[in-house]
Amino acid sequence: MPKARRALVRLLLAGGAAAVLLYTEGQWESRSGGLMLVADLLNRPELLLGAALAALIAAAWLGDRRTAVRTATRAVTVTAGVVFLLGVLAAHKVSAAETRSRETAPARPELALVVVHRSYATAPKDNDDWQVLLEVGAGWSGRRWSLAQIGRAPDDARLVEASWTGRDQITVVTDSYRRVFNLDQDTGEPVEAR
């Protein structure tokens, strides 16, 4: 294999590995308390995993010159590409219409209560779900905390209200429970009141 071609294959493999690592970091920061800007930028499976797969497919096609290995590699990578594409198309088909409401804390503009409502066109109305989030700060240091995930199954609770009930307190009310969260004065981290 010519030197330039070998360098291109190595570059494609490194690029594919980097895309997977970036996506992994985005997934990690999507957890409760993670850095919201990093999560928003890097938790993109279609873009980053698609780019990684494309780089690996290109590296496989340009790589090994032996016929049997090349044929097997191409078959596996093309199959993986088709499966990934079908998964992306299926995910978009069942994607939800999403609305967000945002309310800043009384006298604390760095804190925001966010309620995300997802309505699925392919599911009955009872399958809507809500996610209640607290966003603390902005930019690279801003964090996002998950307070409640409501309504994943037909027999789950339904959100009635999520609101600021004090300068450092959030109350989430559903048709079956009420949860109160107090915020840490320094970090803004929510702690459920017992």
mmCIF file of all heavy atoms in Angstrom, residues 114-135:
data_model
loop_
_atom_site.group_PDB
_atom_site.id
_atom_site.type_symbol
_atom_site.label_atom_id
_atom_site.label_comp_id
_atom_site.label_asym_id
_atom_site.label_seq_id
_atom_site.Cartn_x
_atom_site.Cartn_y
_atom_site.Cartn_z
ATOM 1 N N VAL A 114 -36.956 24.482 33.676
ATOM 2 C CA VAL A 114 -37.328 24.167 32.297
ATOM 3 C C VAL A 114 -38.219 22.927 32.310
ATOM 4 O O VAL A 114 -37.872 21.918 32.927
ATOM 5 C CB VAL A 114 -36.074 23.909 31.419
ATOM 6 C CG1 VAL A 114 -36.468 23.531 30.004
ATOM 7 C CG2 VAL A 114 -35.162 25.119 31.436
ATOM 8 N N VAL A 115 -39.361 23.024 31.634
ATOM 9 C CA VAL A 115 -40.247 21.875 31.498
ATOM 10 C C VAL A 115 -40.316 21.528 30.012
ATOM 11 O O VAL A 115 -40.672 22.354 29.183
ATOM 12 C CB VAL A 115 -41.666 22.167 32.039
ATOM 13 C CG1 VAL A 115 -42.578 20.970 31.811
ATOM 14 C CG2 VAL A 115 -41.601 22.523 33.516
ATOM 15 N N VAL A 116 -39.930 20.286 29.688
ATOM 16 C CA VAL A 116 -39.947 19.794 28.305
ATOM 17 C C VAL A 116 -41.131 18.837 28.178
ATOM 18 O O VAL A 116 -41.227 17.866 28.921
ATOM 19 C CB VAL A 116 -38.631 19.066 27.957
ATOM 20 C CG1 VAL A 116 -38.664 18.574 26.522
ATOM 21 C CG2 VAL A 116 -37.434 19.963 28.214
ATOM 22 N N HIS A 117 -42.028 19.137 27.239
ATOM 23 C CA HIS A 117 -43.191 18.276 26.989
ATOM 24 C C HIS A 117 -43.017 17.636 25.619
ATOM 25 O O HIS A 117 -42.798 18.324 24.625
ATOM 26 C CB HIS A 117 -44.484 19.096 27.036
ATOM 27 C CG HIS A 117 -45.697 18.299 26.669
ATOM 28 N ND1 HIS A 117 -46.565 18.708 25.699
ATOM 29 C CD2 HIS A 117 -46.172 17.122 27.127
ATOM 30 C CE1 HIS A 117 -47.532 17.819 25.579
ATOM 31 N NE2 HIS A 117 -47.308 16.842 26.429
ATOM 32 N N ARG A 118 -43.094 16.306 25.588
ATOM 33 C CA ARG A 118 -42.974 15.575 24.322
ATOM 34 C C ARG A 118 -44.293 14.883 24.022
ATOM 35 O O ARG A 118 -44.821 14.159 24.854
ATOM 36 C CB ARG A 118 -41.851 14.548 24.402
ATOM 37 C CG ARG A 118 -40.489 15.177 24.498
ATOM 38 C CD ARG A 118 -39.384 14.129 24.587
ATOM 39 N NE ARG A 118 -38.132 14.763 24.919
ATOM 40 C CZ ARG A 118 -37.686 14.956 26.157
ATOM 41 N NH1 ARG A 118 -38.390 14.559 27.169
ATOM 42 N NH2 ARG A 118 -36.534 15.544 26.364
ATOM 43 N N SER A 119 -44.790 15.108 22.818
ATOM 44 C CA SER A 119 -46.028 14.494 22.370
ATOM 45 C C SER A 119 -45.710 13.665 21.133
ATOM 46 O O SER A 119 -45.181 14.185 20.148
ATOM 47 C CB SER A 119 -47.047 15.587 22.042
ATOM 48 O OG SER A 119 -48.241 15.020 21.590
ATOM 49 N N TYR A 120 -46.042 12.382 21.177
ATOM 50 C CA TYR A 120 -45.717 11.453 20.100
ATOM 51 C C TYR A 120 -46.918 11.294 19.180
ATOM 52 O O TYR A 120 -48.000 10.926 19.621
ATOM 53 C CB TYR A 120 -45.301 10.095 20.660
ATOM 54 C CG TYR A 120 -44.076 10.194 21.531
ATOM 55 C CD1 TYR A 120 -44.185 10.434 22.900
ATOM 56 C CD2 TYR A 120 -42.811 10.086 20.988
ATOM 57 C CE1 TYR A 120 -43.061 10.542 23.700
ATOM 58 C CE2 TYR A 120 -41.683 10.190 21.770
ATOM 59 C CZ TYR A 120 -41.814 10.421 23.128
ATOM 60 O OH TYR A 120 -40.687 10.531 23.909
ATOM 61 N N ALA A 121 -46.714 11.549 17.901
ATOM 62 C CA ALA A 121 -47.804 11.462 16.925
ATOM 63 C C ALA A 121 -48.271 10.026 16.721
ATOM 64 O O ALA A 121 -49.434 9.784 16.436
ATOM 65 C CB ALA A 121 -47.361 12.056 15.593
ATOM 66 N N THR A 122 -47.376 9.062 16.868
ATOM 67 C CA THR A 122 -47.722 7.660 16.609
ATOM 68 C C THR A 122 -48.298 6.962 17.828
ATOM 69 O O THR A 122 -48.676 5.806 17.749
ATOM 70 C CB THR A 122 -46.476 6.878 16.141
ATOM 71 O OG1 THR A 122 -45.492 6.956 17.171
ATOM 72 C CG2 THR A 122 -45.950 7.434 14.845
ATOM 73 N N ALA A 123 -48.350 7.649 18.963
ATOM 74 C CA ALA A 123 -48.828 7.025 20.203
ATOM 75 C C ALA A 123 -50.100 7.725 20.675
ATOM 76 O O ALA A 123 -50.362 8.862 20.311
ATOM 77 C CB ALA A 123 -47.754 7.129 21.275
ATOM 78 N N PRO A 124 -50.890 7.052 21.504
ATOM 79 C CA PRO A 124 -52.066 7.708 22.063
ATOM 80 C C PRO A 124 -51.668 8.911 22.911
ATOM 81 O O PRO A 124 -50.543 9.000 23.392
ATOM 82 C CB PRO A 124 -52.706 6.633 22.941
ATOM 83 C CG PRO A 124 -51.980 5.377 22.688
ATOM 84 C CD PRO A 124 -50.736 5.695 21.940
ATOM 85 N N LYS A 125 -52.582 9.841 23.109
ATOM 86 C CA LYS A 125 -52.306 11.059 23.865
ATOM 87 C C LYS A 125 -51.799 10.750 25.273
ATOM 88 O O LYS A 125 -51.024 11.498 25.836
ATOM 89 C CB LYS A 125 -53.595 11.906 23.930
ATOM 90 C CG LYS A 125 -53.427 13.247 24.557
ATOM 91 C CD LYS A 125 -52.650 14.169 23.657
ATOM 92 C CE LYS A 125 -52.667 15.582 24.246
ATOM 93 N NZ LYS A 125 -51.606 16.392 23.749
ATOM 94 N N ASP A 126 -52.237 9.625 25.838
ATOM 95 C CA ASP A 126 -51.821 9.256 27.191
ATOM 96 C C ASP A 126 -50.334 8.926 27.289
ATOM 97 O O ASP A 126 -49.811 8.776 28.373
ATOM 98 C CB ASP A 126 -52.633 8.054 27.683
ATOM 99 C CG ASP A 126 -54.079 8.426 27.953
ATOM 100 O OD1 ASP A 126 -54.375 9.630 28.042
ATOM 101 O OD2 ASP A 126 -54.899 7.510 28.084
ATOM 102 N N ASN A 127 -49.637 8.799 26.166
ATOM 103 C CA ASN A 127 -48.211 8.457 26.199
ATOM 104 C C ASN A 127 -47.300 9.679 26.154
ATOM 105 O O ASN A 127 -46.102 9.532 25.972
ATOM 106 C CB ASN A 127 -47.865 7.515 25.057
ATOM 107 C CG ASN A 127 -48.293 6.100 25.357
ATOM 108 O OD1 ASN A 127 -48.778 5.817 26.435
ATOM 109 N ND2 ASN A 127 -48.122 5.221 24.404
ATOM 110 N N ASP A 128 -47.847 10.883 26.297
ATOM 111 C CA ASP A 128 -47.009 12.084 26.381
ATOM 112 C C ASP A 128 -46.095 11.962 27.591
ATOM 113 O O ASP A 128 -46.424 11.296 28.572
ATOM 114 C CB ASP A 128 -47.863 13.337 26.532
ATOM 115 C CG ASP A 128 -48.569 13.712 25.241
ATOM 116 O OD1 ASP A 128 -48.448 12.977 24.247
ATOM 117 O OD2 ASP A 128 -49.238 14.754 25.227
ATOM 118 N N ASP A 129 -44.932 12.615 27.514
ATOM 119 C CA ASP A 129 -44.088 12.642 28.696
ATOM 120 C C ASP A 129 -43.531 14.036 28.918
ATOM 121 O O ASP A 129 -43.501 14.864 28.009
ATOM 122 C CB ASP A 129 -42.991 11.574 28.647
ATOM 123 C CG ASP A 129 -41.954 11.796 27.577
ATOM 124 O OD1 ASP A 129 -41.289 12.843 27.592
ATOM 125 O OD2 ASP A 129 -41.788 10.907 26.732
ATOM 126 N N TRP A 130 -43.141 14.276 30.165
ATOM 127 C CA TRP A 130 -42.606 15.555 30.582
ATOM 128 C C TRP A 130 -41.282 15.315 31.286
ATOM 129 O O TRP A 130 -41.101 14.321 31.976
ATOM 130 C CB TRP A 130 -43.545 16.250 31.573
ATOM 131 C CG TRP A 130 -44.861 16.627 31.005
ATOM 132 C CD1 TRP A 130 -45.211 17.838 30.473
ATOM 133 C CD2 TRP A 130 -46.023 15.812 30.911
ATOM 134 N NE1 TRP A 130 -46.517 17.813 30.053
ATOM 135 C CE2 TRP A 130 -47.043 16.576 30.312
ATOM 136 C CE3 TRP A 130 -46.304 14.496 31.270
ATOM 137 C CZ2 TRP A 130 -48.309 16.079 30.074
ATOM 138 C CZ3 TRP A 130 -47.569 13.995 31.031
ATOM 139 C CH2 TRP A 130 -48.552 14.787 30.442
ATOM 140 N N GLN A 131 -40.391 16.260 31.102
ATOM 141 C CA GLN A 131 -39.120 16.227 31.810
ATOM 142 C C GLN A 131 -38.962 17.586 32.483
ATOM 143 O O GLN A 131 -39.090 18.629 31.834
ATOM 144 C CB GLN A 131 -37.975 15.981 30.826
ATOM 145 C CG GLN A 131 -36.658 15.751 31.494
ATOM 146 C CD GLN A 131 -35.575 15.379 30.484
ATOM 147 O OE1 GLN A 131 -35.730 15.591 29.292
ATOM 148 N NE2 GLN A 131 -34.483 14.854 30.979
ATOM 149 N N VAL A 132 -38.714 17.573 33.787
ATOM 150 C CA VAL A 132 -38.537 18.802 34.551
ATOM 151 C C VAL A 132 -37.052 18.940 34.844
ATOM 152 O O VAL A 132 -36.435 18.046 35.427
ATOM 153 C CB VAL A 132 -39.368 18.784 35.853
ATOM 154 C CG1 VAL A 132 -39.187 20.093 36.609
ATOM 155 C CG2 VAL A 132 -40.838 18.529 35.547
ATOM 156 N N LEU A 133 -36.475 20.062 34.416
ATOM 157 C CA LEU A 133 -35.037 20.290 34.521
ATOM 158 C C LEU A 133 -34.744 21.588 35.264
ATOM 159 O O LEU A 133 -35.547 22.525 35.222
ATOM 160 C CB LEU A 133 -34.417 20.391 33.125
ATOM 161 C CG LEU A 133 -34.673 19.244 32.165
ATOM 162 C CD1 LEU A 133 -34.307 19.651 30.746
ATOM 163 C CD2 LEU A 133 -33.885 18.027 32.599
ATOM 164 N N LEU A 134 -33.589 21.653 35.882
ATOM 165 C CA LEU A 134 -33.090 22.888 36.472
ATOM 166 C C LEU A 134 -31.781 23.213 35.773
ATOM 167 O O LEU A 134 -30.876 22.374 35.728
ATOM 168 C CB LEU A 134 -32.844 22.717 37.980
ATOM 169 C CG LEU A 134 -32.114 23.879 38.659
ATOM 170 C CD1 LEU A 134 -32.983 25.146 38.645
ATOM 171 C CD2 LEU A 134 -31.718 23.511 40.070
ATOM 172 N N GLU A 135 -31.685 24.410 35.197
ATOM 173 C CA GLU A 135 -30.441 24.851 34.563
ATOM 174 C C GLU A 135 -29.795 25.893 35.453
ATOM 175 O O GLU A 135 -30.441 26.874 35.859
ATOM 176 C CB GLU A 135 -30.719 25.402 33.163
ATOM 177 C CG GLU A 135 -31.194 24.315 32.217
ATOM 178 C CD GLU A 135 -31.441 24.802 30.796
ATOM 179 O OE1 GLU A 135 -31.395 26.023 30.553
ATOM 180 O OE2 GLU A 135 -31.692 23.939 29.940
#
